[in-house]
Amino acid sequence: KPALALDKKSSSPTFLSRLHNPVKGKLHIVAVMVEFEEDDNRFTTGNGTFSNSGMAFLDNPNIRIDPLPHNQNYFEAHLEFAKNYFETVSNGVFEIEYTVVPEIVKLSGKMEKYSPTGRDLNFQPVAEMAAETWEKVNQQNLISSIPQSDIETAFVIFHAGAGRDIELVGTSLNKTPQDIPSVYLSKSAFRNIYNDPAFEGFPLEEADRTVNNTLILPRTLSRPGEDVSGNPFVLQLSTNGLVAAQIGSHIGLPDLFDTESGQSGIGRFGLMDGAGIFSYNGLFPPEMSAWEKTFLGWTEPSILATDSELTAELPAVSLRQDNSAFKVELSKSEYFLIENRHRDPDSNGVTIDIQRPDGSIVTQTFTNNNRRFTFQQQGFEELLEPGVVISVSDYDFSLPGGLFEMDDDTENFRELNGGILIWHIDENIIAE
């Protein structure tokens, strides 16, 4: 199950009000690294610390996605990805700058103490983890100043261990139910958890600021397991998509999947769905959907009249035209959004920048002809340089599609790279 968000109804403005209050300008992100008391609990991933031995299954040269070491530079690389993603998909109207505190904060308990478990999840342990973190940050004066930003500052906890964000039941992955789920805690979420409507946040006295939200994110989403023959393997997953989605929650986007079951809602055609978050093993989600961009005020669809014949031209979203969608109104609250989504509009594949563990940057390009990469066939991560993906030339290369064989006995292929995508929007359902 992908990232859980607790209070979308209470924290997200309505679609119409968002149109008059677009998310534009600069967001500053402040992040801290948090580890726990060391443990040997088989129900958690790792030993609760940031040491390489704490993630022994990642300590080998075959790990290409989000390899060790997991240090300040590593987490800065993931935030650099988020910066590049949002600045690209917003066409430059939304910017991100970030700070990762270099000191590691050590909490008083083991990882299991902060993990919500049971049929009815109680997020009190996660809230207590956030409270203890910011209390220690305040006591140790780890943050002396925070730049002002146009959008409310986002506060991030990158914690040791793996995120409890994918379904493990029915897989051969190690079962670790006491891992910590990735959640976004807004001020209203804290108020609900503490049953305290007056809660305003945790003080950072040295910086003269208050922490009133927290994004809980793991050091990794990769997980060990055994194949059918009992041989060990590692499912390599990047946290890039998850980081982007949590920031999406912070700026008001609702989840677009079933948060009860984890079932996909919009598929691999936007950001706020597990299919998009974990697209390409989490390396990079596709562009946001027309509704997500309109909701945030990043595009204003052109209204198409339906009482006459017309011809309308709609460039591919990734070509960065002013209007990336058309709107066909059915009623005051119901309409279609039409967009042109294409994986490879320039027929030159996708170019990816990867930050290696030593801080150097390497660039790789993959085309549709590289079917192993396009379809994420087994072992596709072996094609990648080890490191963190920090920027991508065409995020919509993450859409479903590619070159499909017409007949096993021939070398003919059919190119299915995109086209018209139609969203049926009913704001009455959204309001409910």
Side-chain angles (χ1 to χ4, degrees):
K1 182 185 289 188
L4 301 173
L6 303 182
D7 64 336
K8 288 301 186 294
K9 285 186 180 178
S10 60
S11 66
S12 294
T14 65
F15 175 56
L16 292 177
S17 68
R18 176 59 82 192
L19 279 177
H20 301 292
N21 186 27
V23 177
K24 294 185 178 181
K26 185 170 292 183
L27 166 68
H28 192 84
I29 298 173
V30 176
V32 295
M33 299 174 286
V34 170
E35 65 180 9
F36 312 95
E37 286 294 319
E38 189 170 341
D39 67 58
D40 58 358
N41 182 0
R42 69 184 183 91
F43 296 116
T44 60
T45 303
N47 67 2
T49 74
F50 277 112
S51 64
N52 286 3
S53 60
M55 285 284 176
F57 64 92
L58 295 179
D59 197 9
N60 72 72
N62 296 322
I63 301 300
R64 305 302 180 91
I65 296 177
D66 292 4
L68 299 172
H70 293 169
N71 52 21
Q72 181 184 3
N73 289 339
Y74 168 81
F75 293 113
E76 287 175 340
H78 284 294
L79 293 176
E80 181 68 17
F81 171 84
K83 168 186 170 69
N84 292 326
Y85 174 81
F86 279 101
E87 291 182 2
T88 299
V89 301
S90 72
N91 213 8
V93 302
F94 176 62
E95 302 175 49
I96 290 177
E97 60 181 24
Y98 53 83
T99 301
V100 178
V101 176
E103 296 86 358
I104 294 175
V105 177
K106 185 155 190 170
L107 300 187
S108 61
K110 296 179 179 179
M111 191 189 310
E112 63 201 63
K113 173 184 175 182
Y114 308 97
S115 175
T117 55
R119 183 178 298 275
D120 298 319
L121 287 183
N122 177 1
F123 286 92
Q124 181 87 23
V126 183
E128 292 303 324
M129 170 181 156
E132 184 180 345
T133 294
W134 300 120
E135 181 181 4
K136 287 182 177 294
V137 169
N138 184 50
Q139 291 173 346
Q140 298 171 31
N141 293 328
L142 297 181
I143 299 176
S144 59
S145 65
I146 299 174
Q148 294 296 325
S149 58
D150 303 304
I151 299 155
E152 186 175 55
T153 301
F155 295 91
V156 176
I157 292 175
F158 288 115
H159 65 83
R164 197 173 82 212
D165 302 308
I166 63 173
E167 181 58 68
L168 301 176
V169 176
T171 74
S172 60
L173 297 170
N174 292 357
K175 308 301 185 290
T176 49
Q178 291 183 335
D179 287 335
I180 296 171
S182 300
V183 296
Y184 172 64
L185 299 172
S186 67
K187 181 163 68 174
S188 59
F190 281 114
R191 287 177 171 179
N192 291 338
I193 292 170
Y194 292 141
N195 193 24
D196 178 9
F199 174 85
E200 289 297 327
F202 312 105
L204 294 178
E205 294 166 351
E206 185 77 9
D208 194 24
R209 295 288 290 275
T210 299
V211 177
N212 60 9
N213 66 80
T214 302
L215 289 68
I216 307 289
L217 289 162
R219 67 186 286 187
T220 187
L221 286 169
S222 296
R223 291 186 163 276
E226 292 185 352
D227 62 22
V228 292
S229 302
N231 299 313
F233 76 97
V234 177
L235 173 63
Q236 297 185 49
L237 297 172
S238 174
T239 62
N240 274 347
L242 184 59
V243 171
Q246 291 284 51
I247 295 172
S249 293
H250 179 70
I251 61 178
L253 281 173
D255 290 326
L256 298 176
F257 62 92
D258 187 330
T259 54
E260 294 292 327
S261 67
Q263 183 177 352
S264 178
I266 65 168
R268 252 168 77 186
F269 297 96
L271 173 62
M272 301 303 288
D273 184 286
I277 293 170
F278 289 101
S279 184
Y280 272 91
N281 286 36
L283 289 171
F284 60 101
E287 294 255 353
M288 288 184 181
S289 65
W291 184 84
E292 290 167 304
K293 289 183 180 180
T294 307
F295 178 87
L296 294 170
W298 293 348
T299 188
E300 187 171 351
S302 301
I303 296 178
L304 297 185
T306 58
D307 56 357
S308 63
E309 292 186 12
L310 57 85
T311 300
E313 209 169 285
L314 191 62
V317 164
S318 54
L319 295 180
R320 307 288 157 218
Q321 302 297 314
D322 290 337
N323 293 324
S324 61
F326 291 146
K327 182 178 182 180
V328 178
E329 296 177 327
L330 304 177
S331 70
K332 207 169 185 180
S333 62
E334 190 176 3
Y335 49 90
F336 293 116
L337 288 178
I338 303 170
E339 57 180 347
N340 179 5
R341 303 290 292 275
H342 201 284
R343 297 178 64 256
D344 192 14
D346 294 323
S347 300
N348 59 355
V350 63
T351 298
I352 298 172
D353 291 330
I354 297 174
Q355 180 175 305
R356 292 182 172 126
D358 63 6
S360 62
I361 309 296
V362 62
T363 298
Q364 293 184 277
T365 297
F366 301 95
T367 69
N368 275 323
N369 292 326
N370 191 327
R371 293 168 56 80
R372 188 178 177 195
F373 180 84
T374 299
F375 296 108
Q376 300 104 71
Q377 294 173 349
Q378 184 174 4
F380 92 97
E381 62 271 7
E382 296 171 5
L383 301 171
L384 299 168
E385 288 285 331
V388 176
V389 171
I390 58 172
S391 67
V392 178
S393 61
D394 292 294
Y395 293 97
D396 264 358
F397 200 85
S398 198
L399 292 170
L403 293 178
F404 291 82
E405 293 183 71
M406 297 293 291
D407 190 319
D408 290 339
D409 297 328
T410 71
E411 293 185 358
N412 294 324
F413 293 90
R414 184 180 182 191
E415 186 178 75
L416 297 176
N417 272 337
I420 297 282
L421 182 60
I422 304 175
W423 299 93
H424 180 194
I425 310 298
D426 185 343
E427 287 189 3
N428 291 324
I429 294 176
I430 297 170
E432 292 173 1

